[in-house]
Amino acid sequence: MTNGPRPKPIPFDEIAHRYDLLNRLLSFGVDQLWRKKLVKNLPLGSEYHILDVATGTADLALMAARRQGCRVTGCDVSEKMMAIGRQKIRHKNLDERITLLSGAAENLPFESNTFDAAMVAFGVRNFNNLIKGLSEMQRVVKPGGIILVLEFSIPENHIFKALYLFYFLKLLPFLGGLISGNRRAYEYLPESVLKFPQGQEFLELLQNAGFHQTTCETLTLGIASLYRGIKQ
Ligand SMILES: C[S@@+](CC[C@H](N)C(=O)[O-])C[C@H]1O[C@@H](n2cnc3c(N)ncnc32)[C@H](O)[C@@H]1O
């Protein structure tokens, strides 16, 4: 992890109305391919119940329910993000399979050993207490259940990294600010990614939270990483 304090998280309520549009534009649509990659690791079938922490506007929950046929419970601290998520769920007629609830990662409002898997996309970086959030995910997953974490990372190839950082640190805050009206939110994104543990360092946090057989797969030349672990 880069030294120095982590930047203060932005209130997602303020950018909720533009969140999906900006995700697609600023990632050139690749964000959905990354979510698809995560979802392929979930169990297949309506008997499985999956937790989506920091569900936001429910893109990951929707994809999991549609592709894997499972039930999904999503939770988040932003009511405005979830309000958009609920509209999308209704629109896709998936109300019976997806439920969104208010809840913080650090104090999940669920009994221990409830879910067959827990997942989080672009959420762990925003947790107030990362260790507590991961431990809570471990607590609510059943023994043998999987945790899947999708998060941005910084590419290692020097040339690609230089190009990517120019885009990430300069262009993205400008475009994000222009479209959302909240430039700070899109300055926070690269700042928080640069300060966030990645690769082996993040795997150690997963292990400390009680997950085993941990793996990390880098996606799109290292712009994102998919972490996996199993609760024994
Ligand atoms: C970048 S968005 C990701 C949303 C969604 N998972 C996706 O793939 O688009 C981050 C989300 O994390 C939520 N969040 C931030 N801190 C949280 C916490 N401590 N507990 C639960 N959710 C949190 C925010 O409200 C926001 O909706």
Side-chain angles (χ1 to χ4, degrees), residues 12 19 23 35 54-56 76-78 81 103-106 121-122 126:
F12 278 85
Y19 179 79
N23 261 359
R35 289 190 188 86
T55 191
D76 202 287
V77 290
S78 165
M81 292 284 276
E106 296 79 4
F122 312 110
N126 303 293

